[in-house]
Amino acid sequence: MKRSNRLIVLTQFFLENPHTHTQLPYFVDLCGTTKSSISEDLDIIHDVFEQQGLGILHRTTGAGGGVRYIPKNADAYDESFILKLCEKLKDPERILPGGYLYMSDLLGDPKTVREIGRIFASRFSEIELDAIVTVATKGIPLAYAVASFLQVPVVIARRDPKVTEGSSVSINYVSGSSRRIQTMVLPKRSLKEGSNVCIIDDFMKAGGTITGITNLLAEFDAEVKAIGVFAEADDEDEERKVTNYTSLIKISEVDTKGNQMEIVPGNFK
């Protein structure tokens, strides 16, 4: 196989299999070439990925040596993308009762969701994770987008148990926005005990839902290593229940009567 062809094949493999450690003999057989040629190809791809702000190829040596593609966005790209989202969300017609914002069009756009997932995955790329956890329903697309770049499964907590999911663990928690007692359920088979997890959610006000997820995960002896929130509301009178998190967008000074609000980038920088 010619080098130009090999570069296309290898690049496609890495983009489709991020965070997957693969030994060099696999690529030797795939491309019908030698280890030295593959090694040179990897150098080229690594340099291009790094120059274009797409990530890096992490290589290991020894008997079990190989290579793994780690997606990492350039900071300038992330900032530009988030600023464009902020502009889209500034439309006063998006304001909903209760200080919420209509975001379903953005979270329903595959390209936008994929880019959001890439940003979170880039921020959490150095963390060893076993699963991405979210709560049904709007956080599900974001969770799958992040998981696709980190190559880990998605675990979904629901408001009520499903017969098709077998026995479950449930807790009651107080919603930070409505101050109502709600139930959250997670099937026993969905998560191994002692897992390292990342929580992904679409919107956070006081943080009651994320606190509920954290308490539910404690029943599995799971450790929350990271929390990613697409948009956070920064106009709550009560103290926020969650402090250690990464947000992409911050919404504040929402005036439902005057149809005004302030939307700025979150704390992801």
Side-chain angles (χ1 to χ4, degrees), residues 151-172:
Q151 286 291 82
V152 295
V154 173
V155 176
I156 303 172
R158 303 186 184 277
R159 308 296 182 182
D160 51 1
K162 302 291 183 181
V163 177
T164 55
E165 294 183 333
S167 59
S168 303
V169 176
S170 65
I171 65 165
N172 294 325

Side-chain angles (χ1 to χ4, degrees), residues 140-262:
I140 294 177
L142 295 179
Y144 274 102
V146 178
S148 69
F149 287 104
L150 296 178
Q151 286 291 82
V152 295
V154 173
V155 176
I156 303 172
R158 303 186 184 277
R159 308 296 182 182
D160 51 1
K162 302 291 183 181
V163 177
T164 55
E165 294 183 333
S167 59
S168 303
V169 176
S170 65
I171 65 165
N172 294 325
Y173 71 99
V174 179
S175 172
S177 56
S178 64
R179 305 300 300 171
R180 293 183 300 176
I181 296 179
Q182 299 190 21
T183 302
M184 193 178 297
V185 180
L186 196 60
K188 287 184 177 180
R189 298 183 184 182
S190 64
L191 188 66
K192 293 182 180 180
E193 287 196 10
S195 295
N196 294 329
V197 304
C198 168
I199 298 174
I200 295 293
D201 205 2
D202 64 311
F203 188 81
M204 179 176 71
K205 295 194 83 173
T209 299
I210 291 179
T211 300
I213 301 176
T214 303
N215 293 337
L216 180 58
L217 291 171
E219 298 295 322
F220 292 79
D221 292 324
E223 184 174 353
V224 178
K225 293 289 189 177
I227 298 173
V229 179
F230 173 54
E232 62 167 314
D234 194 34
D235 59 346
E236 290 295 308
D237 294 331
E238 60 182 304
E239 184 178 354
R240 171 138 312 151
K241 295 180 173 64
V242 181
T243 55
N244 188 16
Y245 62 91
T246 299
S247 67
L248 302 190
I249 292 173
K250 181 179 291 186
I251 305 168
S252 60
E253 300 180 13
V254 179
D255 180 4
T256 55
K257 294 182 179 179
N259 279 343
Q260 295 181 342
M261 58 189 163
E262 181 179 3

